[in-house]
Amino acid sequence: MNNSDIDEVDENVTAELSRLRDSIDNIDAAVVHMLAERFKCTQQVGHLKAKHQLPPADPGREASQIARLRQLAENAKLDPAFAEKLLNFIIAEVIRHHETIAAGEDQ
């Protein structure tokens, strides 16, 4: 392999890395926007629960959502444990928001 071959490979690799990173950046942006939409909905749920004196957490719903997400992850060839960790993180944040709303601190 001579220097011109190495330069060409490097340019091809650089171009492919750039293309992949652009896609990753787009996906990250979409994930952030989807999470923002999800939290808008869960805040509305929090207000509805507070209005009707329902508890912030719903362990039955959470368990079914975790099972559902684990199955979706398996179908998508994603580690179900990772998906469960992500959902648990989101659920904890949602419950924190719901507790804040129920305490009347979210006006």
Side-chain angles (χ1 to χ4, degrees):
M1 200 179 251
N2 63 39
N3 282 343
S4 64
D5 290 338
I6 292 171
D7 290 342
E8 186 176 314
V9 169
D10 289 347
E11 287 176 22
N12 290 336
V13 170
T14 300
E16 182 68 1
L17 279 172
S18 180
R19 184 190 68 76
L20 290 167
R21 288 176 175 159
D22 286 347
S23 290
I24 290 168
D25 292 349
N26 288 340
I27 293 166
D28 288 346
V31 168
V32 167
H33 287 280
M34 292 300 294
L35 284 171
E37 285 301 310
R38 189 184 196 289
F39 280 112
K40 285 178 190 174
C41 292
T42 59
Q43 271 207 297
Q44 291 175 17
V45 168
H47 286 285
L48 188 61
K49 285 181 170 185
K51 180 178 178 181
H52 296 280
Q53 290 84 42
L54 297 169
D58 184 344
R61 165 82 174 156
E62 293 159 22
S64 68
Q65 284 297 93
I66 288 169
R68 180 178 154 273
L69 201 68
R70 286 184 67 91
Q71 185 61 55
L72 287 170
E74 279 186 36
N75 294 344
K77 308 292 188 247
L78 180 68
D79 180 3
F82 170 78
E84 183 173 347
K85 287 177 192 176
L86 176 62
L87 187 59
N88 280 328
F89 175 79
I90 292 169
I91 288 170
E93 189 66 15
V94 167
I95 291 170
R96 188 181 67 76
H97 289 166
H98 289 186
E99 290 169 345
T100 300
I101 292 167
E105 297 168 16
D106 180 56
Q107 301 301 324

